[in-house]
Amino acid sequence: MEMISFEKAFETVMNTSFRTGTETVSYTDTLNRILAEEIASDMDMPPFNKSSVDGFACRKSDLGNDLEILETIPAGNWPSKFIGKNQCSRIMTGAPVPDGADCVIMVEDTELLSEGFIKFRSSFIKENIAKKGEDIRKGELVLRAGKRIRPQDIAVMASVGHTSVTISKRPRVAVISSGSELVEPDLIPGMSQIRNSNASQLMAQIERAGASGKYYGIAADDEAQTLSIIEKAIPENDMVLLTGGVSMGDFDFVPSVLEQAGVRFFFTRVAVQPGKPTTFGLHSRSVIFGLPGNPVSSFIQFEMLVRPLLSIMMGCEWKPLNINMPMGEKFMRSSVDRMAFIPVKIADDASVLPVEYHGSAHISALPEADGIISMPVGKKIFEKGEVVSVRPI
Ligand code: AMP
Ligand code: MG
């Protein structure tokens, strides 16, 4: 299959129509999940004219006069007295403003005269009343479907009494490592072995993307064994991620095994650096990615292709934060025929510095990086000071 551009690969992936269903959970269990319904307010907010300070509720036209104190209104109590001429009530922050009053003067701005009387000792600045319905009207939309739920959204759900919330189900994602050289991280590798770092990296990336990962272990470079793991994973998941085994080596069986399992390929080579052998296909039961075995390639291709798809599978528009910042130094590359993704650090002066990076197996480069910048096909140099777009990672 021919190599395609990153833009075409991205478009192909994002055209996948698979969407997860929805489920209904308590609002307290919705953090980082994707909202799958519109939420409206069940009441005006504030629900009554509310004092925003501790002070005295009175009439603006009486501010030059001695004012008689009628009662004290704590938050949570309803006023019992109408405020007439030259009258006031002591009121606490959050308490309802009594009828007849049109402002609340702050305690600090008043003087206690004889018992039961006060005088305003400042100049009028503002009413200090939050008017009924000024923030939100009953029936008004407060949270839109498709947003990733943050703590402040949970506060809004609480305020409007929306305690049972419909969210998108997490996509179930299988992770399979491929390679006879791999051992699990708690073992000491033999002479020709290395530890499997991609599986746990991917599981964490899946979790961060809001999906639910399941690890299926290491498939040796053996067709039958790889096929049996893939055939188990496909029906149990919405997406299957394999790492390794997609290059051109004699033992890179993943593409042929996927084909035997009934996967229809859309691309098997992308003009990106790193991550050229990234493979994408569909099975009737799930979406399949073959990611390169190199840990940096696997990480970056997950962020650039898999994560956006997971997002739209959950009904969340993919709008990554891209921050424009100047390069802190010149960056140059030798070949320009692929889109390059470059891990970068953000310096204290908010300039962008590529992290030192010896190739796609240089796993310790990524923890140094704050983000990724992309360098399009044909572009050879980023000049010092040139503004680049940083995607935080
Ligand atoms: P492959 O894509 O199978 O040709 O692997 C490319 C390189 O990535 C090889 O050096 C592999 O040893 C390495 N590699 C493959 N899978 C993993 C993994 N799960 N964890 C760490 N390195 C890996
Ligand atoms: Mg391999």
Side-chain angles (χ1 to χ4, degrees), residues 50 185 226 258 369:
K50 192 167 83 172
T226 308
L258 286 174

Side-chain angles (χ1 to χ4, degrees), residues 318-365:
W318 175 245
K319 274 195 301 192
L321 185 65
N322 285 310
I323 310 163
N324 291 337
M325 292 181 179
M327 289 293 284
E329 62 187 43
K330 182 174 174 174
F331 178 84
M332 211 172 131
R333 61 171 172 164
S334 43
S335 115
V336 298
D337 56 348
R338 291 188 269 163
M339 165 89 93
F341 295 115
I342 307 150
V344 294
K345 262 196 290 239
I346 298 170
D348 290 344
D349 64 354
S351 70
V352 177
L353 300 172
V355 296
E356 209 187 314
Y357 163 49
H358 306 144
S360 41
H362 188 180
I363 185 78
S364 58

Side-chain angles (χ1 to χ4, degrees), residues 286-305:
S286 76
V287 178
I288 319 284
F289 282 93
L291 299 173
N294 271 314
V296 177
S297 311
S298 167
F299 178 90
I300 289 179
Q301 293 312 317
F302 181 96
E303 293 300 318
M304 294 298 156
L305 289 175

Side-chain angles (χ1 to χ4, degrees), residues 174-211:
V175 171
I176 303 169
S177 293
S178 146
S180 294
E181 76 280 27
L182 301 173
V183 297
E184 294 299 5
D186 52 351
L187 300 178
I188 296 176
M191 296 267 277
S192 57
Q193 296 179 318
I194 60 166
R195 291 197 176 97
N196 174 13
S197 60
N198 287 348
S200 42
Q201 176 170 255
L202 282 170
M203 290 291 285
Q205 287 179 289
I206 290 164
E207 180 70 32
R208 179 163 74 171

Side-chain angles (χ1 to χ4, degrees), residues 333 335-336 338 374-383 386:
R333 61 171 172 164
S335 115
V336 298
R338 291 188 269 163
S374 49
M375 195 173 203
V377 170
K379 187 155 174 78
K380 194 179 177 66
I381 298 172
F382 279 133
E383 296 293 350
E386 186 171 346

Side-chain angles (χ1 to χ4, degrees), residues 33-36 143-150 153 315-316:
R33 303 294 298 273
I34 306 301
L35 185 62
L143 295 174
R144 215 169 258 298
K147 79 176 316 219
R148 182 175 298 277
I149 298 166
R150 299 178 299 167
D153 301 315
C316 178

